[in-house]
């Protein structure tokens, strides 16, 4: 039931634009109870995109999300790549054209420019989910065991589409209860990492993450988050408490300090 995210755009890979979309989407998926397995940035290159998406399908990834590559310029090729990958052809979505004309106050006979025509083009077997904040729609296709959902790259449009169309799908498919806690330890990363591994081995449903960059020089402590996932809220809280107690025990045995966020 894993989710994978592909951020498409040469400007992202070159570092010209920061991929804030991926950060935001990852946060949303965690809060919704989904399992994000990997995040990948890709150039606007059809071979690279095909290889990466095909690999995700072969990993039997349940939900494949993409951002970018749905615009009107020649380097926007997500639709063409996905259509070829799943063995179909790109076609113009008449429903989307009608939506464009409606939003522009045009009659059904009024011609649309090439940019809008391209943004209305989707794989032939796609389900088209209209964009509430822009023009290029969200495009959904099924292939083998995977659902591929393509979103435009502009953050405002991506967020609107995610909240309107993708969030309900994740809740339906992956709904889990998430419990979190932040603790502080007077240890360096190299010291605490083996202890974190012990906790995750004993409690595999709980994930631990140390934030080295947030280490306090004032009291020499480092924050560590514990995240527990379960289908039941009570069970999620119980697992979190057990993991936290065990982690505290290990830290104190090492002769270091351990405190909770509201006590720091």
């Amino acid at each position: 039931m894993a989710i994978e995210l592909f951020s498409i755009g040469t400007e992202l890979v070159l570092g010209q634009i920061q991929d804030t979309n991926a950060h935001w989407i990852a946060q949303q998926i965690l809060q919704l109870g989904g399992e994000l397995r990997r995040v990948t940035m890709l150039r606007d290159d059809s071979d690279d995109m095909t290889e990466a998406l095909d690999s995700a399908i072969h990993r039997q990834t349940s939900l494949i999300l993409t951002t970018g590559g749905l615009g009107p310029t020649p380097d926007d090729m997500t639709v063409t790549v996905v259509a070829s990958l799943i063995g179909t052809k790109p076609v113009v979505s008449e429903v989307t054209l009608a939506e464009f004309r409606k939003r522009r106050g045009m009659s059904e006979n009024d011609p649309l420019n090439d940019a809008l025509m391209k943004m209305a083009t989707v794989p032939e077997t796609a389900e088209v989910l209209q964009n509430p904040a822009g023009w290029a729609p969200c495009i959904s296709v099924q292939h083998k065991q995977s659902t591929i959902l393509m979103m435009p790259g502009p953050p405002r449009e991506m967020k609107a589409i995610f909240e309107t169309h993708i969030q309900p799908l994740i809740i339906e498919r992956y709904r889990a209860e998430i419990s979190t806690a932040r603790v502080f330890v007077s240890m360096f990363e190299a010291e605490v990492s083996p202890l974190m591994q012990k906790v995750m081995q004993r409690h595999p449903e709980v994930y631990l993450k140390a934030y080295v960059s947030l280490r306090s020089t004032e009291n020499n402590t480092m924050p560590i988050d514990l995240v527990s996932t379960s289908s039941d809220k009570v069970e999620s809280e119980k697992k979190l408490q057990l993991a936290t107690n065990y982690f505290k025990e290990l830290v104190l045995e090492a002769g270091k300090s351990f405190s909770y966020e509201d006590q720091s």
Side-chain angles (χ1 to χ4, degrees):
M1 297 295 288
I3 303 171
E4 295 191 21
L5 170 63
F6 294 88
S7 302
I8 298 170
T10 300
E11 69 278 8
L12 300 174
V13 178
L14 297 180
Q16 294 175 311
I17 296 178
Q18 186 176 10
D19 187 9
T20 58
N21 284 348
H23 177 72
W24 186 87
I25 291 171
Q27 289 179 320
Q28 304 310 303
I29 290 174
L30 174 64
Q31 293 171 7
L32 295 171
E35 178 194 348
L36 183 59
R37 179 161 57 189
R38 65 176 67 188
V39 178
T40 306
M41 285 195 298
L42 297 170
R43 290 174 177 263
D44 296 302
D45 180 273
S46 59
D47 290 339
D48 288 350
M49 292 165 62
T50 299
E51 180 182 6
L53 295 173
D54 191 45
S55 294
I57 292 168
H58 277 83
R59 286 190 291 273
Q60 299 182 345
T61 306
S62 178
L63 187 60
I64 300 171
L65 306 178
T66 72
T67 62
L70 300 183
T73 59
D75 59 344
D76 291 314
M77 58 185 73
T78 301
V79 168
T80 303
V81 167
V82 171
S84 176
L85 181 63
I86 67 176
T88 188
K89 61 182 180 180
V91 298
V92 174
S93 166
E94 295 297 332
V95 173
T96 303
L97 292 184
E99 177 68 15
F100 288 172
R101 288 192 172 96
K102 177 183 176 182
R103 289 166 60 184
R104 289 198 164 197
M106 302 167 65
S107 75
E108 61 180 19
N109 296 320
D110 290 334
L112 294 168
N113 60 42
D114 291 343
L116 289 176
M117 291 297 290
K118 182 174 181 181
M119 287 189 286
T121 300
V122 303
E124 189 173 26
T125 58
E127 176 186 4
V128 184
L129 308 169
Q130 298 303 325
N131 185 340
W135 295 104
C138 177
I139 305 167
S140 175
V141 298
Q142 301 288 330
H143 186 61
K144 297 182 179 178
Q145 296 179 331
S146 300
T147 300
I148 304 174
L149 281 159
M150 295 161 265
M151 296 177 281
R156 177 174 168 272
E157 297 183 36
M158 178 279 298
K159 289 180 179 180
I161 282 176
F162 187 94
E163 291 171 346
T164 303
H165 301 299
I166 298 177
Q167 179 174 298
L169 176 62
I170 294 177
I171 292 174
E172 177 186 346
R173 289 194 184 188
Y174 306 93
R175 185 57 182 169
E177 295 293 342
I178 305 294
S179 300
T180 63
R182 173 163 289 189
V183 301
F184 296 82
V185 298
S186 60
M187 305 177 76
F188 291 101
E189 184 181 21
E191 296 176 292
V192 76
S193 289
L195 307 188
M196 294 167 58
Q197 291 299 320
K198 286 185 178 181
V199 175
M200 288 187 283
Q201 287 170 4
R202 178 177 289 192
H203 301 282
E205 302 89 354
V206 181
Y207 172 72
L208 279 75
K209 172 62 179 178
Y211 294 95
V212 180
S213 62
L214 300 180
R215 184 180 187 84
S216 172
T217 56
E218 181 179 345
N219 55 19
N220 198 34
T221 60
M222 180 169 61
I224 296 176
D225 280 352
L226 295 90
V227 181
S228 171
T229 306
S230 177
S231 59
D232 178 78
K233 184 63 176 178
V234 174
E235 185 67 18
S236 175
E237 293 285 355
K238 179 181 177 181
K239 291 176 179 178
L240 178 66
Q241 189 61 57
L242 289 172
T244 304
N245 290 344
Y246 180 47
F247 187 39
K248 179 179 180 179
E249 176 186 327
L250 294 175
V251 172
L252 295 180
E253 284 181 356
K256 303 296 183 177
S257 68
F258 181 101
S259 62
Y260 296 92
E261 185 169 32
D262 58 357
Q263 297 174 340
S264 61

